[in-house]
Structure formats: C-alpha cells, structure tokens
Amino acid sequence: MTAVVNIFLKDGVLDPQGKAAHHALDSLGFAGVDDVRIGKQIIIKLDTDDKVKAEAEAKEMCETLLANTVIEDYTIEIN
Amino acid sequence: MKVAVLRFPGTNCEFDTQYAFEKLGYTTELIWHEEDTLPSDIDLVVVPGGFSYGDYLRSGSIARFSPIMKTVIQFAHNGGKVLGICNGFQILTEAGLLPGALKRNNNLHFISKHQNLCVINNDNAFLNQCEKGEVLNIPIAHADGNYYIDEEDFKQIEANGQILLRYCDTQGNPVVVNGSVTSIAGVCNEAKNVFGLMPHPERALEVILGSVDGIRMLKGFSA
C-alpha cells in the first residue's frame, strides 16, 4: 500500500513561504486569493496490504519523525 | 571542565566551538554521531552549529535520532548540562529537550550579521557571568531561527525564567529579526540544565572579529 502524507504548518502558525507566494500571486494580478499555505507531501510505499495496519504505521512515522507536531499538522491517505 | 562537542554529517561549527572552549580553559573532545557513549568525565555536551543532514525534512529532525543523541538525552535527563548553538538549538527542540520549535525566518532569507541580544535571565549555569538586561553583541547566521511556542507554553517558560535572550537594539529594546515569538533568541528547559540559542557566542571571542561578548557567555559553565 502507499501512504500519502501531507504536512502543513498548523492554523495560527504563520507560514512565511505561503505568505510570499500569496503576495506574488497578488502582484501577478490573480484576484480573490484569500490564503496560500505551502506544505510538503511524503509518499511512503509500505509492504502490507492491510489498510488499517498501513495507516497505523504511517501515523507512528508522522508522530515520531515526519511531522513536528509543535508547529505542524498532517493528513494521511492510504491507497 | 571537560566539554564534548558533537559532530554530525553537515556540522560545520565543531572546530570553532572546540577552539572557543579550549581558549577559555576547558578541555574538549569531538564526538562523532555514531558513538553511543560519552566519556564518563564530561561536564558539558555542546551541540554545535551547521547543517546536519543537509537540513533535510526539518532542521535537526534527522540528527535528533542519531545514536549519540540517545545518550545525550539520557545525560540531560540525569541533570547533565547541554548547550545547543544554532543547528544545535534546532536539534535540541526536535529532541524534545527544549520547548518550542524553530521555523523558517519570516523574511525567508538566510540572515548573517552581528546582532544585539538582551540578557533576560541570568540565574542559570549558562548566563551567570552576564548582567540581567545587559546588551551583548553576538553574530547570528541562520535561515530557520524563527522561534515558535504556543501561548500556553510561552506563559510557562516566561514565568519559569526560561527565556535566556531576546534580539534587541543597542538600548535593549526587543527588535524583530526573524519573526521569533517576542523576539526570543535563546531558551532553557524547566530544570535549567539544557540551553539553546540561535546566535553564535563561539564566534565572538576576539576583538579582531568584532566582539568579545561570547567569552562571558561560555565562561558561565566554569563558574
């Protein structure tokens, strides 16, 4: 199975890269942009066919290493 | 006083740090990250600056799991003194030895310059040679020095006297340098045996390099 992990700064934690991209979009004339957040995506190939197990493993990986939960939130999608 | 200076792939301040502590009369030993023990007579572990593991994933996030860090975490839990400078500060927050986290600078630039710092608390093993409110001139050089801590934890570290240093002007008034919460440049843990700061005191020991204020900071550990 494949775990697709998306990691973003928490709401309320200023995302300076998102802000810079937002300014750039504004100055390029893209109207109506309310907010831009930049995160990262990590794709993990797992040697299991058990969706529940895959999700539990990916969650442990996020909590241990992949995300810093002081400043970041993450989502996991299992395919 | 014997100081262990850690070395990870990508560390680049280990020799400056070693030179600085030797100059101030400490005995030092470089410790490679694959070691899993510290010499038994170590009084202080210093995690120096650099770009451990290329800052991949997040600054300090991979170094934090190296074999030597397990030993350092145990050393700290037993009351051993640990100092993290720049990337070392990032590693110690990632390891959970210090509160908060370090994010990308608000202006997205790598900032490298001399910076005034105000001493906020000196009742600890690190800054005891400095006066409270004193302004120190110490170089900074970082891209991920934007200190973040949530409101609840901020109140706690402020009340416990864990805020060590703030970026300031020549008069000691806080200034925004990288976006840090209340301009924080350095903190310690609740037990006050683990210290972290983004500025580089080891680069401020010689008049010819623009400042000698780092001497009093690093001398604190031998007081």
Side-chain angles (χ1 to χ4, degrees):
Chain A
M1 310 223 72
T2 301
V4 179
V5 176
N6 284 302
I7 299 168
F8 290 91
L9 286 167
K10 286 182 175 175
D11 284 343
V13 177
L14 180 74
D15 172 6
Q17 293 185 83
K19 207 174 158 193
H22 191 173
H23 281 308
L25 289 172
D26 281 348
S27 61
L28 288 167
F30 290 100
V33 179
D34 280 338
D35 191 27
V36 179
R37 313 267 305 163
I38 295 181
K40 56 192 148 199
Q41 186 172 75
I42 301 171
I43 296 168
I44 308 160
K45 297 230 158 87
L46 296 161
D47 64 353
T48 176
D49 293 326
D50 183 338
K51 199 173 172 180
V52 174
K53 196 178 158 206
E55 186 156 4
E57 271 184 13
K59 186 169 193 289
E60 199 184 338
M61 291 175 192
C62 287
E63 292 287 331
T64 310
L65 173 70
L66 301 178
N68 179 343
T69 54
V70 175
I71 46 173
E72 294 171 324
D73 283 331
Y74 60 87
T75 59
I76 298 166
E77 194 186 303
I78 304 289
N79 299 318
Chain B
M1 278 287 288
K2 192 161 176 191
V3 179
V5 179
L6 306 190
R7 200 176 183 202
F8 302 91
T11 297
N12 65 7
C13 296
E14 70 272 44
F15 297 116
D16 291 23
T17 304
Q18 202 177 14
Y19 170 82
F21 277 96
E22 295 264 344
K23 188 181 159 82
L24 298 178
Y26 298 84
T27 309
T28 66
E29 187 169 335
L30 275 184
I31 310 279
W32 182 236
H33 69 115
E34 285 177 345
E35 300 284 334
D36 56 8
T37 54
L38 286 166
S40 59
D41 55 347
I42 290 296
D43 301 295
L44 169 71
V45 173
V46 180
V47 192
F51 300 85
S52 59
Y53 295 91
D55 282 349
Y56 296 157
L57 190 65
R58 292 178 309 277
S59 300
S61 65
I62 308 217
R64 169 253 180 282
F65 287 104
S66 58
I68 193 62
M69 281 307 294
K70 266 192 198 142
T71 310
V72 170
I73 290 167
Q74 198 54 50
F75 177 80
H77 284 157
N78 292 338
K81 293 188 194 81
V82 181
L83 171 68
I85 301 170
C86 200
N87 187 221
F89 184 15
Q90 294 159 343
I91 293 169
L92 296 180
T93 56
E94 284 284 342
L97 289 175
L98 288 172
L102 292 143
K103 300 193 303 162
R104 183 57 42 93
N105 293 342
N106 265 4
N107 64 6
L108 301 176
H109 291 184
F110 186 96
I111 305 170
S112 179
K113 60 172 185 174
H114 273 265
Q115 174 63 47
N116 289 313
L117 304 174
C118 183
V119 176
I120 307 300
N121 283 293
N122 63 352
D123 58 338
N124 54 64
F126 179 29
L127 298 180
N128 55 67
Q129 299 298 297
C130 306
E131 302 291 326
K132 213 167 170 170
E134 183 179 359
V135 176
L136 303 169
N137 173 18
I138 305 285
I140 56 170
H142 60 249
D144 295 326
N146 181 349
Y147 184 75
Y148 177 82
I149 187 163
D150 67 30
E151 240 178 275
E152 201 179 313
D153 289 348
F154 172 78
K155 280 183 196 150
Q156 213 173 333
I157 67 164
E158 194 182 37
N160 292 340
Q162 291 172 246
I163 300 172
L164 299 174
L165 299 156
R166 282 198 169 102
Y167 303 109
C168 70
D169 61 19
T170 52
Q171 306 304 311
N173 304 306
V175 293
V176 175
V177 168
N178 53 22
S180 288
V181 167
T182 70
S183 300
I184 287 174
V187 298
C188 65
N189 66 342
E190 196 178 350
K192 300 189 184 177
N193 64 315
V194 181
F195 306 88
L197 75 166
M198 288 312 295
H200 287 272
E202 82 280 12
R203 297 184 190 177
L205 305 187
E206 322 254 4
V207 174
I208 198 171
L209 293 180
S211 171
V212 293
D213 291 348
I215 294 175
R216 265 170 307 144
M217 298 178 89
L218 300 185
K219 268 197 168 166
F221 290 108
S222 61

